[in-house]
Amino acid sequence: MKSVLKIFTVLVVALSSPICSAQTVEEWTEANLDSLVKLYMHLHTHPELSFQEKETSKRIAAEWEKAGYEVTSNVGGFGVVAILRNGDGLTLMLRTDLDALPVKEETGLEYASKVTVTNEDGSKTGVMHACGHDIHMANLVGVARYLASCQDRWQGTLILIGQPAEERVAGAKAMLEDGLFTRFPKPDFGVALHVGSDIAAGKVGYRAGYALANVDSVDITVKGRGGHGSAPHTTVDPIIQAAELVVALQSIVSREIKPIEPAVITVGSIHSGTKHNIISDECKLQLTVRSYSSEVRQQLLDAIERKAKAVAIGHRAPAPVVKFSEGTPSLYNDDDLTAKLSSVFVRTLGVDNVEQVDPVMGAEDFSLYGKAGVPILMYRLGSVSQRRLDQLKMAGRTPPSLHSSAYYPDFELTLQTGIATMSNVALELLPRQ
């Protein structure tokens, strides 16, 4: 009797679900591309910074609600959660980020962002989607529309999330703390994509295992005793300490970490003093620290604090203040999920348009969903046309990197590729039973 009821339920779901008229995802995307390009243009020209994505969040929520999803806004700030239930089955989460960067756009494009904001100190800065989040959003709206209109091709529960504050590696944490996996169904899989400026549009890249790094910010305040520059013997010079510390920090990577373990310590900022002949009381350093394994991460942070204290002791100085912040764990792409979905990419695009990419030391808080127990994959979406890449190579130049004021995607082919691959990923992971 139970089997009969199950068959009946499946038939009811199938008959009540929208029947997909398009023969393929690619055909659907081509027929609907114009409206998605318009959405992309709107998002590109209306960027909002991390923790300020109010209007962006509203627009994405409206798009998903219009497509037939059950939408909840203001999850972990301006986060959006959209759910489409399509019978029994597995649960898949697809994610886009919402925020832009404090960068003045210098692409020269007609649709370049003109948005500016005023900083706390009264200065102004431009705002642009220099990291492709506008592509990510338009892509996931396209995927959402396709899957909602083709429910006869899949079965299960689809969860879409619009995540705020990715650039500050804070949005995923905020959404999780606001009950993302308790208020809503916990997914069986999580998938996201991210544009790459070094991969040709029309192609994707993937990497099993570690793909992005642990990242920690470190602020060190070196203490001294100030005085006149003509009498250094009466002072404890924090700048001398800082100079020694910068060199000592590099010995951590070269002499304490196994050579086969990736690790980076970069001193990105150092400030002290006000005038030529004044020895200051303190010197401030700002570091970014990157690694893959949790063991190496802790080893680096412990060593940084030890080196800072040792330099102070050597100069008979007060103990430094060492603060760690803005940490996010490394992103580990689930091995089995990556193997399964790489085959989907090849079926969708052809073997020549799918490549294994090297891990990088950038950060992504999409990693936190994996740490929360969900098998995840973030793959890379080519965004610069092969023609542009060839022209840049002939000129001896590299393509503008993400976060560059000169970066822009060739959006039509990029969107077509993203929608095709991510939609087929969903069809693979949420099969009809």
Side-chain angles (χ1 to χ4, degrees), residues 126-145:
V127 183
M128 75 171 286
H129 275 294
C131 201
H133 296 186
D134 45 359
I135 283 285
H136 301 171
M137 287 184 278
N139 172 80
L140 196 49
V141 168
V143 173
R145 291 177 183 174

Side-chain angles (χ1 to χ4, degrees), residues 168-169 215-217 297 324-328:
R168 299 282 296 274
V169 291
V215 177
D216 293 280
S217 295
R297 181 185 193 183
F324 304 102
S325 63
E326 296 184 350
T328 194

Side-chain angles (χ1 to χ4, degrees), residues 45 62 280 425:
T45 55
S280 178
V425 160

Side-chain angles (χ1 to χ4, degrees), residues 194-199 206-215 262-264 289-293 329-333 356-364 378-380 402:
H194 202 296
V195 296
S197 64
D198 56 346
I199 301 176
Y206 69 93
R207 179 79 186 187
Y210 289 119
L212 291 159
N214 298 306
V215 177
V264 173
V289 183
R290 297 171 185 249
S291 57
Y292 286 131
S293 74
S330 57
L331 189 150
Y332 190 97
N333 284 327
Q356 292 196 54
V357 294
D358 292 332
V360 296
M361 300 303 276
E364 241 292 352
M378 171 172 276
Y379 65 99
R380 292 173 62 188
L402 302 182

Side-chain angles (χ1 to χ4, degrees), residues 46 73 92 203 210 233 264 298 306 404:
H46 294 80
S73 296
L92 169 64
K203 297 184 176 184
Y210 289 119
H233 61 290
V264 173
Q298 192 60 53
R306 171 168 43 83
S404 164

Side-chain angles (χ1 to χ4, degrees), residues 181-423:
F181 290 165
T182 55
R183 294 167 56 190
F184 310 97
K186 186 173 181 178
D188 296 291
F189 312 100
V191 177
L193 55 71
H194 202 296
V195 296
S197 64
D198 56 346
I199 301 176
K203 297 184 176 184
V204 298
Y206 69 93
R207 179 79 186 187
Y210 289 119
L212 291 159
N214 298 306
V215 177
D216 293 280
S217 295
V218 186
D219 290 86
I220 302 175
T221 302
V222 174
K223 302 289 187 176
R225 185 173 68 248
H228 201 287
S230 66
H233 61 290
T234 65
T235 72
V236 176
D237 193 338
I239 293 179
I240 293 294
Q241 290 183 68
E244 185 176 322
L245 179 58
V246 169
V247 175
L249 292 173
Q250 299 311 308
S251 71
I252 297 172
V253 175
S254 65
R255 288 296 176 269
E256 297 190 32
I257 305 299
K258 289 181 182 179
I260 60 173
E261 292 280 4
V264 173
I265 298 176
T266 294
V267 180
S269 173
I270 180 167
H271 290 279
S272 183
T274 58
K275 201 175 186 303
H276 306 71
N277 61 350
I278 299 174
I279 293 175
S280 178
D281 288 320
E282 63 181 29
C283 182
K284 295 181 179 293
L285 298 87
Q286 293 182 310
L287 288 64
T288 186
V289 183
R290 297 171 185 249
S291 57
Y292 286 131
S293 74
S294 57
E295 293 78 13
V296 170
R297 181 185 193 183
Q298 192 60 53
Q299 187 180 359
L300 289 168
L301 299 183
D302 290 345
I304 288 168
E305 189 164 18
R306 171 168 43 83
K307 293 283 187 182
K309 289 178 178 178
V311 168
I313 291 171
H315 287 265
R316 296 170 290 112
V321 176
V322 183
K323 293 183 178 180
F324 304 102
S325 63
E326 296 184 350
T328 194
S330 57
L331 189 150
Y332 190 97
N333 284 327
D334 182 80
D335 296 290
D336 292 338
L337 183 62
T338 303
K340 186 172 188 175
L341 297 187
S342 63
S343 299
V344 175
F345 300 150
V346 171
R347 289 201 307 269
T348 303
L349 303 176
V351 67
D352 292 337
N353 293 314
V354 179
E355 58 188 61
Q356 292 196 54
V357 294
D358 292 332
V360 296
M361 300 303 276
E364 241 292 352
D365 63 357
F366 186 67
S367 60
L368 288 174
Y369 306 120
K371 292 289 185 181
V374 176
I376 61 169
L377 169 65
M378 171 172 276
Y379 65 99
R380 292 173 62 188
L381 177 66
S383 66
V384 179
S385 71
Q386 189 63 58
R387 179 182 60 82
R388 281 173 60 200
L389 291 175
D390 292 341
Q391 289 174 342
L392 288 166
K393 186 175 182 179
M394 288 180 63
R397 296 163 54 199
T398 56
S401 67
L402 302 182
H403 289 216
S404 164
S405 62
Y407 167 74
Y408 68 93
D410 290 289
F411 52 81
E412 289 192 350
L413 183 54
T414 302
L415 283 173
Q416 289 174 317
T417 307
I419 293 168
T421 52
M422 187 168 277
S423 296

